[in-house]
Amino acid sequence: MDFISFLTSLGTSCVIFVILMLLFAWLSKKPGNAVVYYPNRILKGLDPVNGGSRTRNPFAWIHEAMTASEQDVISMSGLDTAVYFVFMGTVLGILVLSGIVLLPVLLPVSATDVSVMKTAATTSNGTFNKFDKLSMGNITPKSSRLWGFLLATYWVSFVTYYLLWKAYKHVSGLRADALMSPEVKPEQFAILVRDIPGFKGQTRKEQVDSYFRAIYPEKFYRSMVVTDNKVVNKIWKELEGYKKKLARAEAIYAKSKTTGKPEGVKPTNKTGFLGLCGAKVDSIEYYSGKIHELIPKLESEQKVTLREKQQDAALVFFTSRVTAAAAAQSLHAQMVDKWTVTDAPEPRQLIWTNLKIKLFQRILRQYVVYFIVALTIFFYMIPIGLISALTTLDNLKKLLPFIKPIVKMKALKTLLEAYLPQLALIIFLALLPKFLFFLSKAEGIPSVSHVVRAASGKYFYFTVLNVFIGVTVGGTLFTTFKTIQNRPKSVVDILANGLPSNATFFLTFVALKFFVGYGLELSRIVPLIIYHLKRKYLCKTEAELKEAWTPGDLGYATRVPGDMLIFTIVLCYSVIAPLILPFGVVYFGLGWLILRNQALKVYVPCYESYGRMWPHMHKRVLAALILYQVTMFGYFGTKKFYGVPLLLPLPILSLLFGYVCSQKFYRFFQDTALEVASHELKEIPNMDQVFRSFIPPSLRSEKNDDDQFEDALSQSVSRTGSFV
Amino acid sequence: MDFISFLTSLGTSCVIFVILMLLFAWLSKKPGNAVVYYPNRILKGLDPVNGGSRTRNPFAWIHEAMTASEQDVISMSGLDTAVYFVFMGTVLGILVLSGIVLLPVLLPVSATDVSVMKTAATTSNGTFNKFDKLSMGNITPKSSRLWGFLLATYWVSFVTYYLLWKAYKHVSGLRADALMSPEVKPEQFAILVRDIPGFKGQTRKEQVDSYFRAIYPEKFYRSMVVTDNKVVNKIWKELEGYKKKLARAEAIYAKSKTTGKPEGVKPTNKTGFLGLCGAKVDSIEYYSGKIHELIPKLESEQKVTLREKQQDAALVFFTSRVTAAAAAQSLHAQMVDKWTVTDAPEPRQLIWTNLKIKLFQRILRQYVVYFIVALTIFFYMIPIGLISALTTLDNLKKLLPFIKPIVKMKALKTLLEAYLPQLALIIFLALLPKFLFFLSKAEGIPSVSHVVRAASGKYFYFTVLNVFIGVTVGGTLFTTFKTIQNRPKSVVDILANGLPSNATFFLTFVALKFFVGYGLELSRIVPLIIYHLKRKYLCKTEAELKEAWTPGDLGYATRVPGDMLIFTIVLCYSVIAPLILPFGVVYFGLGWLILRNQALKVYVPCYESYGRMWPHMHKRVLAALILYQVTMFGYFGTKKFYGVPLLLPLPILSLLFGYVCSQKFYRFFQDTALEVASHELKEIPNMDQVFRSFIPPSLRSEKNDDDQFEDALSQSVSRTGSFV
């Protein structure tokens, strides 16, 4: 790719971004679109636009995002989102501090060295462009100028250590604040017990109750045995479906009344397959009948489920936060694989179907999943390598001669040259996350947030291994295949030549990602169109409308690995081609700004893990740093530099830093520290409410009748005590 | 070594053993020796000899040792000793079950193959002796007879898995029984808190009290801040020394009165260096004066210590076992390296000087110690290799020509040939344990039992790496040095030839160890002589006499690695030379019997770790098994056997087995399971007594005055509650 096509790519991306920005400024002012651009505020019962005036500055959101404090983010979008911004801020800080030193120092050092430029011109068909002159590739081997690059490598590393340490400390404090909050949070009073051993003569509930009452005679409140809810869930979903359809039919009927005919038209439907065949019936009557039929069925199934479908897991409730926190960390049974405990996740993110899976099966599943993921990573390596190698215009012309006339158009050619390789990559990556999420769930993990973390880790390894290393090594290998036959000695130089020449590819990739990606993110064009289509043609009731605009969450499972990929790329090229740093800074700066707007106004978090994502982010930033340090070690080696051994301490230092961090901070992200849990609550917790919040909707009684829970849900014991 | 010298070695050892046995039978009957042969029973206030008759069978101890139940061992010698016998029993079981199958199957298979015998006779100067004919070395390469050996390898492995699993389960049960015992054990009510962070405005004691009282408002009893006791200990030791000397002087004076002169002779001593110079004074007056001088000094130093020498660690006491057990496992502080908790060891095995060491310093110390140990292991490799290679008689004759006339004496030559290499080895190994114990203590470990475990692990690695692998590989290399020059191809066969030819060396080693080692153990000749010498010439008071006969404990730090070395050797040779199995069986059978006698009657345990040694024993038996499996893999390889890949699953299976065991059992050996701790006590614990048992003797007040402890030892709060 030459300099012109790079500028074209950059320019086009920039133009698209500006258009999307303007679209956003225009669309977000329309009152009808408020539910698309401010759903989080609306759901929280706030006025969509601060101050409410329509005449305000269209770029006011920038000011609002900039001035919003961390506390605002936490209160609007939860701690996990705040932690995500700490991550963005830290990464941004690393790149900014690196750039401040590296750009003014390394660029002149590279640009004034001319030796490689000359020799390269004779071997690589003049592809050496203006960027390469500013990169480390332009430095003569063994040159004493390399000392500057060596120092730069150290500078970047130490900046990363410093900011990571600060961030870990800060996030640990945030987590502590959230956990010691005086609000009553149900999950802080419960623990999750799995692997309950077999028993005789007692019901599962009696067994659990007597076990925990013996250990915690004063603080034990109640237990809730996990049940197999498959059948009851199915009936409940069916019932809810009919209720929605009834509401819809009633809405249609009400609407038809107002216009002309006062008696209205009663809506009808067919009872057969998908409503396409069978007898035609009156919808309202039909659905009401169905609902009346299903309610007793649900109730009897609820009873059967609670009585007969109890499984080997339970939620146990305590009247004190400290006791629950200590219980979640303590070994309960002599056999370690029995009565295993963890702290309970939030009710909304519990994965009930996974709770019954036994310890050794969980471990086995985990390894099987790891094996499948490893296979996936290496199986995808082949197609992605082929795609990124084939989708250069020159290759396409050779392989598909019929596209030659298209390519001859100058403008189109430049455009194609600019986007073709990256587009294939981006589309390709979009296929994977769902699969990884499914696999992570199959491991037997009990909470959604944990599954997201697991999936995010897998996606990170996938992207770094395939995109970054795959493209660098694969691309370099492909272009040097011919060279090898002619000059076998140059194989050693593959990496040295490969890294800088791929720098422009990644430069474009980063630019595309931030301009187009964040442009689409901010303008929300796709959700807007979908919402308006649904509103016009599908939604009849208020509930349906709300469902149409309710936004998801930030989607850490793919967002964090995506950011991590960009960070890894920018970090690895930071010293080799410092020009990539401003692009990284814009990516994370723009991302920070736009996502802050989205977090404050759009996305609604669907779980709260109290910042447990952070150790994973920290570990991966550190992994990227080590990859960078090892790459630099190899790259300095190909430059035949005498100072290479001086780079060896860096990866060791990074491992040491990671070890110290994990020793100092990590366990608090797994367990709740008792000093934190012992902070006072603002009120005595309503234990019944705490308990009820964990009952899944399909098991909730319509009549608010306590008796039916007595089979799987133990009775509370009236008890007065100090509630901490 | 030929067959004759082997038989001589065995015969001599056996004769020594029989002599020692007879000595024991004769000496142990003498009433004056009861304190040497039955100290454990005497200290427990029992009659030395069961039944008390002097006319009983001199071999009654065998019957008593055989019939003693596990409960007897636990009540006489503690759980750790019982666990040691489980280890002995398991290892014995492995060898017996292996022998039952391997001996009748493999010996005929080896003996009837003649090919190697023939070829070897031409190359190895006729050293191929009758043993080698019974070993796997006698099998023709590629022979289908090797299938039998392959199956034997599997049989030994599965026997080991089965018995290890059973033993782990059994020991876990024993540990649970001990921990749920209704007796009040002070260490079950306390936790050890280290890494207490800096503070302002409060005393350390107030800080600890307020911290734990906030978290455990109901169960917190008191805390005891750890102090720097160096000075107070010195004064206390001085005082105790003078008290002993005073008692001794009074005893001498009293003795002198009875004989002839009724006024007696007042003993005198010199006040100068070591009592050798200086003014002559009346001992009784002098020592009484010193004691009167030191008591107020001790008291004031106790006050200073408690007030001003408080350190960053404390013992915290709870009124409930469950709370203490849960507290010892829970994260207390947000920063994981602050307020670190562990369960408190017994008062008698607490290492006060190590308690103040901070977390990261402990980790650093650990790695430094590991590094030193690794250096030691590889530094000693050279001398031990040289020694075992040089101390064959043939080599000695060459190196030291002047010993030739000695060697010419037939009997002496056979004797020297039999013992020389092994004696050097045994003496050499005796130098190390103290050093390893010192190193382990320097790691900052808080309890003696833990230090013993750590030292034992180091000693195990040392013995296995140096003795077993060093002798096998080193010896083989040495003998083949000349061969290499002549026939370079035979280098590949070094291992194949080396293993069987070293078998006889190890056979003798094992025999020497059990006959002479256990003979000395049972007869207690050395302690007996020392006791009688002391009684005659040194001891004047009852206290001094008791000190002279008080036995130590079993000494796990060296005993377990010693046993493990024998087991590793026997296991590794079990299939190659099955004739080693009976020797192993005799070693562990005899050991089991004799040590059971010693445990019941002689040794007094100096700590109780509730079986925490077991996971280490288990891990090392498994390590020996893996070493055996890998050795077999290599050895089958040199036999050019087609079934070699079939041996690959074995080490993987062993790792898997170890993983499952550690998942199922291990954590209970680190932490107390709450279901175990929640068992009822037979009485409400006297918390003051529990608290006082942790006060080191040098800080104990003579006047039983509570006030002086108020500085470092927090006041108890009168509180009534349920004591679990």
Side-chain angles (χ1 to χ4, degrees):
Chain A
M1 187 193 301
D2 57 21
F3 191 61
I4 298 293
S5 65
F6 170 73
L7 277 191
T8 318
S9 159
L10 204 65
T12 331
S13 304
C14 192
V15 168
I16 293 173
F17 180 70
V18 169
I19 292 169
L20 290 170
M21 280 277 279
L22 292 173
L23 258 177
F24 167 71
W26 177 59
L27 289 169
S28 65
K29 274 172 85 173
K30 295 199 163 189
N33 293 336
V35 290
V36 174
Y37 291 106
Y38 307 99
N40 192 17
R41 291 184 65 85
I42 292 169
L43 285 172
K44 289 227 162 41
L46 298 168
D47 185 38
V49 185
N50 260 353
S53 74
R54 299 267 158 260
T55 56
R56 70 192 199 123
N57 185 340
F59 297 102
W61 66 270
I62 294 176
H63 177 74
E64 283 165 21
M66 299 278 275
T67 53
S69 71
E70 196 160 47
Q71 276 312 314
D72 295 337
V73 174
I74 291 174
S75 65
M76 286 306 291
S77 197
L79 182 60
D80 287 340
T81 311
V83 168
Y84 177 68
F85 285 111
V86 172
F87 163 70
M88 292 287 273
T90 305
V91 167
L92 183 63
I94 292 169
L95 299 184
V96 167
L97 282 182
S98 302
I100 285 173
V101 171
L102 264 57
L103 285 175
V105 172
L106 295 188
L107 288 187
V109 171
S110 307
T112 52
D113 200 327
V114 286
S115 64
V116 177
M117 185 71 180
K118 273 185 204 157
T119 54
T122 58
T123 58
S124 58
N125 312 321
T127 55
F128 239 90
N129 61 37
K130 288 173 190 171
F131 284 123
D132 297 342
K133 224 194 138 185
L134 293 173
S135 80
M136 197 172 151
N138 200 35
I139 302 289
T140 328
K142 301 186 194 177
S143 164
S144 61
R145 289 172 183 235
L146 289 167
W147 286 108
F149 289 87
L150 185 87
L151 287 178
T153 312
Y154 266 87
W155 170 253
V156 172
S157 302
F158 281 101
V159 162
T160 310
Y161 298 145
Y162 172 69
L163 290 176
L164 274 185
W165 180 265
K166 257 186 66 180
Y168 217 141
K169 217 166 181 174
H170 179 63
V171 173
S172 175
L174 287 181
R175 178 172 159 85
D177 288 341
L179 288 175
M180 66 171 73
S181 116
E183 305 286 328
V184 174
K185 286 167 187 160
E187 64 274 15
Q188 289 198 304
F189 292 87
I191 63 169
L192 176 62
V193 184
R194 300 170 87 175
D195 308 297
I196 302 174
F199 63 107
K200 276 172 208 154
Q202 279 179 309
T203 68
R204 187 59 89 189
K205 186 203 73 174
E206 285 164 359
Q207 185 199 13
V208 173
D209 279 11
S210 66
Y211 188 84
F212 283 96
R213 197 164 279 139
I215 297 175
Y216 306 96
E218 289 145 45
K219 304 289 188 184
F220 174 75
Y221 174 68
R222 267 177 101 159
S223 69
M224 184 188 288
V225 173
V226 168
T227 49
D228 178 4
N229 298 342
K230 220 192 231 164
V231 179
V232 80
N233 273 349
K234 207 185 137 212
I235 297 172
W236 182 76
K237 263 182 202 151
E238 218 179 322
L239 180 65
E240 291 296 304
Y242 283 128
K243 278 183 187 167
K244 265 187 205 161
K245 280 180 184 159
L246 178 64
R248 185 187 165 88
E250 275 168 350
I252 292 170
Y253 180 53
K255 217 176 181 180
S256 71
K257 266 194 222 163
T258 47
T259 50
K261 290 189 267 182
E263 76 281 10
V265 180
K266 286 215 166 183
T268 57
N269 67 309
K270 288 177 179 167
T271 57
F273 177 72
L274 283 176
L276 296 174
C277 53
K280 209 172 185 178
V281 292
D282 177 355
S283 292
I284 294 175
E285 272 174 37
Y286 177 71
Y287 291 134
S288 304
K290 278 283 179 191
I291 288 167
H292 279 292
E293 204 174 283
L294 277 174
I295 283 176
K297 203 175 157 194
L298 178 69
E299 277 171 8
S300 76
E301 183 56 37
Q302 281 178 341
K303 272 181 199 152
V304 169
T305 301
L306 291 171
R307 199 165 47 238
E308 286 161 25
K309 296 185 179 170
Q310 299 180 13
Q311 295 184 309
D312 305 343
L315 290 152
V316 175
F317 296 86
F318 298 97
T319 54
S320 140
R321 283 211 288 206
V322 173
T323 309
Q329 303 172 42
S330 299
L331 176 70
H332 280 74
Q334 183 203 332
M335 289 295 150
V336 185
D337 62 341
K338 304 278 176 239
W339 297 100
T340 56
V341 291
T342 44
D343 45 356
E346 289 175 309
R348 57 178 167 172
Q349 54 160 320
L350 251 181
I351 304 172
W352 278 66
T353 45
N354 273 350
L355 300 184
K356 64 165 184 287
I357 302 168
K358 294 275 186 180
L359 179 68
F360 284 110
Q361 206 194 333
R362 296 203 292 273
I363 294 171
L364 191 70
R365 277 165 175 246
Q366 200 180 25
Y367 283 107
V368 170
V369 165
Y370 285 175
F371 181 70
I372 295 172
V373 169
L375 276 189
T376 310
I377 288 175
F378 292 106
F379 178 77
Y380 269 76
M381 205 97 165
I382 303 159
I384 217 172
L386 283 175
I387 287 170
S388 72
L390 286 178
T391 52
T392 65
L393 216 52
D394 286 351
N395 281 321
L396 279 184
K397 266 194 285 185
K398 273 177 225 157
L399 289 169
L400 313 165
F402 59 85
I403 64 158
K404 260 187 187 165
I406 306 170
V407 174
K408 271 180 188 156
M409 285 179 279
K410 183 85 182 158
L412 202 65
K413 188 193 164 191
T414 332
L415 209 72
L416 273 177
E417 226 167 25
Y419 282 132
L420 217 65
Q422 294 86 335
L423 266 181
L425 198 60
I426 289 164
I427 293 168
F428 187 78
L429 289 176
L431 299 169
L432 201 66
K434 288 262 170 202
F435 178 59
L436 293 179
F437 188 86
F438 164 78
L439 279 180
S440 303
K441 202 173 161 185
E443 284 179 34
I445 291 168
S447 71
V448 174
S449 63
H450 194 164
V451 171
V452 168
R453 287 198 297 278
S456 149
K458 296 180 178 73
Y459 197 67
F460 169 73
Y461 288 115
F462 178 85
T463 49
V464 167
L465 275 172
N466 280 312
V467 181
F468 180 58
I469 298 180
V471 168
T472 310
V473 176
T476 314
L477 278 179
F478 195 85
T479 54
T480 41
F481 263 146
K482 286 160 275 172
T483 339
I484 292 167
Q485 291 162 342
N486 306 340
R487 303 182 304 133
K489 275 186 189 172
S490 67
V491 182
V492 193
D493 303 313
I494 285 179
L495 197 69
N497 295 326
L499 278 174
S501 69
N502 275 307
T504 34
F505 169 87
F506 283 118
L507 226 63
T508 330
F509 179 66
V510 173
L512 184 73
K513 263 227 147 184
F514 66 67
F515 275 141
V516 180
Y518 284 130
L520 285 172
E521 176 69 62
L522 182 67
S523 63
R524 286 179 67 76
I525 293 292
V526 182
L528 185 80
I529 294 167
I530 291 172
Y531 164 70
H532 279 295
L533 286 176
K534 274 191 180 167
R535 196 174 65 118
K536 201 132 197 177
Y537 302 107
L538 286 171
C539 305
K540 301 291 175 191
T541 62
E542 270 302 306
E544 281 175 330
L545 210 59
K546 192 176 166 187
E547 213 169 74
W549 61 256
T550 301
D553 64 359
L554 268 166
Y556 300 106
T558 53
R559 193 175 292 276
V560 175
D563 293 340
M564 276 309 310
L565 175 63
I566 302 289
F567 176 66
T568 309
I569 290 168
V570 174
L571 197 69
C572 284
Y573 281 102
S574 60
V575 170
I576 297 174
L579 219 60
I580 206 170
L581 280 169
F583 288 83
V585 169
V586 174
Y587 176 86
F588 287 103
L590 214 58
W592 187 88
L593 190 73
I594 287 173
L595 288 175
R596 213 163 173 91
N597 178 68
Q598 306 299 85
L600 289 168
K601 291 169 188 162
V602 181
Y603 292 121
V604 179
C606 65
Y607 58 78
E608 176 65 80
S609 72
Y610 300 106
R612 279 202 179 151
M613 191 73 173
W614 175 257
H616 297 257
M617 293 164 165
H618 177 265
K619 214 181 280 167
R620 272 157 219 158
V621 171
L622 211 58
L625 185 72
I626 292 172
L627 183 64
Y628 151 74
Q629 289 163 343
V630 171
T631 309
M632 289 314 294
F633 183 75
Y635 190 64
F636 271 102
T638 62
K639 285 276 171 195
K640 301 178 187 65
F641 180 50
Y642 301 115
V644 171
L646 286 176
L647 285 168
L648 263 184
L650 276 181
I652 297 164
L653 210 62
S654 298
L655 290 173
L656 209 68
F657 174 77
Y659 178 75
V660 170
C661 281
S662 82
Q663 282 287 324
K664 192 174 174 69
F665 301 111
Y666 183 56
R667 203 184 153 193
F668 179 54
F669 283 82
Q670 279 199 304
D671 297 319
T672 306
L674 299 189
E675 69 173 17
V676 166
S678 68
H679 274 252
E680 286 210 4
L681 289 166
K682 70 173 177 188
E683 60 189 348
I684 292 171
N686 179 343
M687 285 310 296
D688 191 54
Q689 208 170 307
V690 165
F691 175 78
R692 280 187 183 279
S693 67
F694 274 92
I695 301 172
S698 61
L699 284 179
R700 269 178 204 154
S701 169
E702 299 276 317
K703 311 176 221 158
N704 202 15
D705 176 13
D706 207 3
D707 297 337
Q708 67 167 309
F709 290 107
E710 71 183 4
D711 286 311
L713 318 174
S714 73
Q715 284 301 301
S716 71
V717 177
S718 69
R719 188 181 290 281
T720 53
S722 69
F723 292 93
V724 177
Chain B
M1 189 191 303
D2 56 23
F3 192 60
I4 298 294
S5 68
F6 170 73
L7 277 191
T8 317
S9 158
L10 204 65
T12 332
S13 306
C14 192
V15 168
I16 293 172
F17 180 70
V18 169
I19 293 168
L20 290 170
M21 280 277 279
L22 293 174
L23 258 176
F24 168 71
W26 177 59
L27 289 170
S28 65
K29 274 170 85 174
K30 295 201 163 188
N33 293 336
V35 289
V36 175
Y37 291 106
Y38 307 99
N40 193 17
R41 292 183 65 85
I42 292 170
L43 285 173
K44 288 226 162 41
L46 298 168
D47 185 38
V49 186
N50 260 352
S53 73
R54 300 266 160 259
T55 55
R56 68 192 202 124
N57 186 339
F59 298 102
W61 66 271
I62 295 176
H63 177 73
E64 284 165 21
M66 299 278 277
T67 52
S69 72
E70 197 161 44
Q71 275 312 313
D72 295 338
V73 173
I74 292 173
S75 65
M76 285 305 293
S77 197
L79 182 61
D80 287 340
T81 310
V83 167
Y84 177 67
F85 286 111
V86 173
F87 162 70
M88 291 287 274
T90 305
V91 166
L92 184 62
I94 292 170
L95 298 184
V96 167
L97 283 182
S98 302
I100 284 173
V101 171
L102 264 58
L103 285 174
V105 172
L106 295 188
L107 288 188
V109 170
S110 306
T112 53
D113 200 325
V114 286
S115 65
V116 175
M117 185 72 180
K118 272 186 205 155
T119 54
T122 58
T123 57
S124 58
N125 312 321
T127 56
F128 239 89
N129 60 38
K130 288 173 190 172
F131 283 125
D132 297 344
K133 226 195 138 184
L134 294 172
S135 81
M136 197 172 152
N138 199 35
I139 302 288
T140 328
K142 299 186 193 177
S143 163
S144 61
R145 290 173 183 236
L146 289 168
W147 285 108
F149 289 87
L150 186 87
L151 287 179
T153 312
Y154 266 87
W155 169 253
V156 172
S157 302
F158 280 102
V159 161
T160 310
Y161 298 146
Y162 172 70
L163 289 177
L164 274 185
W165 180 266
K166 257 186 67 179
Y168 217 143
K169 218 167 183 173
H170 179 64
V171 172
S172 175
L174 287 181
R175 179 174 158 85
D177 288 341
L179 289 175
M180 65 172 72
S181 116
E183 306 286 328
V184 174
K185 284 167 188 159
E187 65 273 15
Q188 289 198 304
F189 292 88
I191 64 169
L192 176 62
V193 184
R194 299 169 87 177
D195 309 297
I196 302 174
F199 64 105
K200 279 174 208 153
Q202 279 177 308
T203 68
R204 188 60 89 189
K205 185 201 73 174
E206 284 165 359
Q207 183 199 14
V208 173
D209 280 13
S210 66
Y211 187 84
F212 283 96
R213 197 164 278 138
I215 297 174
Y216 306 96
E218 289 145 45
K219 304 288 188 186
F220 173 75
Y221 174 69
R222 263 176 105 160
S223 69
M224 184 190 287
V225 172
V226 168
T227 49
D228 178 4
N229 299 342
K230 221 192 233 161
V231 179
V232 80
N233 274 347
K234 207 185 137 213
I235 297 171
W236 182 76
K237 263 183 202 150
E238 216 178 325
L239 180 65
E240 292 295 304
Y242 284 127
K243 279 182 187 167
K244 265 187 206 161
K245 280 180 185 160
L246 178 64
R248 186 189 163 87
E250 275 167 352
I252 292 169
Y253 180 52
K255 218 178 184 182
S256 70
K257 265 192 221 162
T258 47
T259 52
K261 290 188 267 183
E263 76 281 11
V265 179
K266 286 213 167 185
T268 58
N269 67 309
K270 289 177 179 167
T271 57
F273 176 71
L274 283 177
L276 295 175
C277 53
K280 209 170 187 179
V281 291
D282 177 357
S283 294
I284 296 177
E285 271 174 36
Y286 176 71
Y287 292 134
S288 305
K290 279 282 179 192
I291 290 167
H292 279 294
E293 205 174 282
L294 278 174
I295 284 177
K297 202 176 157 192
L298 178 70
E299 277 171 8
S300 76
E301 183 57 38
Q302 281 178 341
K303 272 181 199 152
V304 169
T305 301
L306 291 171
R307 198 165 49 237
E308 286 161 24
K309 295 184 179 171
Q310 299 180 15
Q311 296 184 308
D312 304 343
L315 290 152
V316 174
F317 296 86
F318 298 97
T319 54
S320 139
R321 282 211 288 207
V322 172
T323 309
Q329 303 171 43
S330 300
L331 177 69
H332 279 74
Q334 183 202 333
M335 289 295 152
V336 184
D337 62 341
K338 304 278 177 239
W339 297 99
T340 55
V341 291
T342 43
D343 45 355
E346 289 174 308
R348 57 178 166 172
Q349 54 160 320
L350 252 180
I351 302 173
W352 277 66
T353 46
N354 273 349
L355 300 184
K356 63 165 185 288
I357 302 168
K358 294 273 185 184
L359 178 69
F360 284 109
Q361 206 196 331
R362 296 203 293 272
I363 295 171
L364 192 68
R365 277 165 176 246
Q366 200 180 26
Y367 283 107
V368 170
V369 165
Y370 286 174
F371 181 70
I372 294 172
V373 169
L375 275 189
T376 309
I377 289 175
F378 292 106
F379 178 75
Y380 269 76
M381 205 95 164
I382 303 160
I384 218 172
L386 283 175
I387 286 169
S388 72
L390 287 178
T391 51
T392 63
L393 217 51
D394 287 351
N395 282 320
L396 278 184
K397 265 192 287 186
K398 275 177 224 158
L399 290 168
L400 313 166
F402 57 86
I403 62 158
K404 259 186 187 167
I406 305 168
V407 174
K408 271 178 187 156
M409 284 178 277
K410 183 84 182 158
L412 202 67
K413 187 195 165 189
T414 333
L415 207 74
L416 274 176
E417 225 168 25
Y419 282 132
L420 217 68
Q422 295 86 334
L423 266 180
L425 198 61
I426 290 166
I427 292 168
F428 186 78
L429 288 176
L431 298 169
L432 201 66
K434 288 264 169 200
F435 178 59
L436 293 179
F437 189 86
F438 164 78
L439 279 180
S440 302
K441 202 172 160 183
E443 284 179 35
I445 292 169
S447 71
V448 175
S449 63
H450 195 163
V451 171
V452 167
R453 288 199 295 280
S456 150
K458 296 179 177 73
Y459 198 65
F460 169 73
Y461 289 115
F462 178 85
T463 49
V464 167
L465 276 173
N466 280 312
V467 181
F468 180 59
I469 299 180
V471 168
T472 311
V473 175
T476 315
L477 279 180
F478 195 85
T479 53
T480 41
F481 263 146
K482 287 160 273 170
T483 340
I484 292 167
Q485 292 163 342
N486 306 339
R487 304 183 303 134
K489 274 186 188 172
S490 68
V491 183
V492 193
D493 302 311
I494 285 178
L495 198 69
N497 295 327
L499 278 174
S501 70
N502 276 306
T504 34
F505 170 87
F506 283 119
L507 226 63
T508 331
F509 179 66
V510 173
L512 184 73
K513 263 226 148 184
F514 65 68
F515 275 142
V516 181
Y518 284 131
L520 285 172
E521 177 71 62
L522 181 68
S523 63
R524 287 178 69 74
I525 293 292
V526 181
L528 184 81
I529 293 166
I530 291 172
Y531 163 70
H532 279 294
L533 286 176
K534 275 191 179 168
R535 195 174 64 119
K536 200 131 194 176
Y537 301 107
L538 286 171
C539 304
K540 301 292 173 190
T541 61
E542 270 303 305
E544 281 176 330
L545 211 60
K546 192 176 166 186
E547 213 169 75
W549 58 257
T550 301
D553 65 358
L554 269 165
Y556 300 106
T558 53
R559 196 176 291 276
V560 175
D563 293 342
M564 278 307 312
L565 174 64
I566 301 288
F567 177 67
T568 309
I569 290 168
V570 174
L571 196 69
C572 284
Y573 280 103
S574 61
V575 170
I576 296 175
L579 219 61
I580 207 170
L581 281 170
F583 287 83
V585 169
V586 173
Y587 177 85
F588 286 103
L590 214 58
W592 187 88
L593 190 73
I594 287 173
L595 289 175
R596 212 161 173 93
N597 178 68
Q598 306 300 83
L600 290 168
K601 291 169 187 163
V602 181
Y603 293 123
V604 179
C606 65
Y607 58 77
E608 176 64 81
S609 72
Y610 301 105
R612 278 201 179 153
M613 191 73 173
W614 176 257
H616 296 258
M617 292 165 165
H618 177 267
K619 214 182 280 168
R620 272 157 219 159
V621 171
L622 211 59
L625 185 72
I626 292 173
L627 183 64
Y628 151 75
Q629 289 164 342
V630 171
T631 308
M632 289 316 294
F633 183 74
Y635 191 63
F636 272 101
T638 63
K639 285 276 168 194
K640 300 175 185 71
F641 181 49
Y642 301 116
V644 172
L646 287 176
L647 285 168
L648 263 185
L650 276 182
I652 297 164
L653 210 62
S654 297
L655 290 173
L656 209 67
F657 174 77
Y659 179 74
V660 170
C661 281
S662 82
Q663 282 287 323
K664 189 173 177 70
F665 301 110
Y666 184 57
R667 203 185 152 192
F668 178 55
F669 282 82
Q670 279 200 303
D671 298 320
T672 306
L674 299 188
E675 69 172 16
V676 166
S678 69
H679 274 252
E680 285 209 6
L681 289 165
K682 69 174 178 187
E683 59 188 350
I684 292 172
N686 179 343
M687 284 310 296
D688 190 53
Q689 206 171 308
V690 165
F691 174 77
R692 277 184 187 282
S693 67
F694 274 92
I695 301 173
S698 61
L699 284 179
R700 268 176 207 156
S701 168
E702 299 277 318
K703 311 175 221 160
N704 203 16
D705 177 12
D706 208 2
D707 297 337
Q708 67 167 309
F709 291 107
E710 71 183 2
D711 287 310
L713 318 173
S714 72
Q715 285 301 300
S716 70
V717 176
S718 69
R719 186 180 293 281
T720 54
S722 69
F723 292 94
V724 177

